[in-house]
Amino acid sequence: MTLDPEDSKLITLARAARARNGSAEGAAVRDETGRTYSATDVALSALTLSAVQVAVAMAISSGARSLEAVALVSEGVPSAADEAVAAELGVKAPLVAGPDGTLRG
């Protein structure tokens, strides 16, 4: 599968965030104006959020009204909650890649 350069950028941002923090997953989103946000999962005793949830929260709190794309880099698959938040903001399905950046699904 060949990715559009903007979607490839999201995978790169998500991989970099994951590697920088040594996290289980990294995510990146692109809003309706083309701004991008990248994040990793949060696993605290008082707060647990997926990387997609954190990236979406960053976008929404910065004024985004919808998303053009969501990317997840992980050994696993997006949760139902990740897919639901992506859909609520206009993305049919997140791009999912393994830690090496290889697109899956």
Side-chain angles (χ1 to χ4, degrees):
M1 171 187 246
T2 302
L3 281 181
D4 150 301
E6 291 300 313
D7 290 345
S8 290
K9 176 182 170 183
L10 288 182
I11 297 292
T12 299
L13 289 170
R15 286 183 70 209
R18 182 180 183 271
R20 182 175 48 254
N21 290 346
S23 298
E25 50 182 43
V29 301
R30 184 175 59 250
D31 72 13
E32 76 277 9
T33 67
R35 291 178 296 186
T36 57
Y37 306 86
S38 61
T40 60
D41 55 307
V42 174
L44 303 173
S45 58
L47 178 67
T48 302
L49 297 169
S50 72
V52 169
Q53 291 168 333
V54 176
V56 167
M58 291 169 62
I60 295 301
S61 67
S62 295
R65 297 186 185 275
S66 65
L67 298 176
E68 293 180 347
V70 173
L72 173 67
V73 172
S74 174
E75 298 272 354
V77 297
S79 69
D82 289 344
E83 290 178 342
V85 74
E88 182 174 340
L89 294 169
V91 176
K92 291 182 182 182
L95 299 167
V96 181
D100 65 354
T102 303
L103 202 59
R104 297 187 308 218

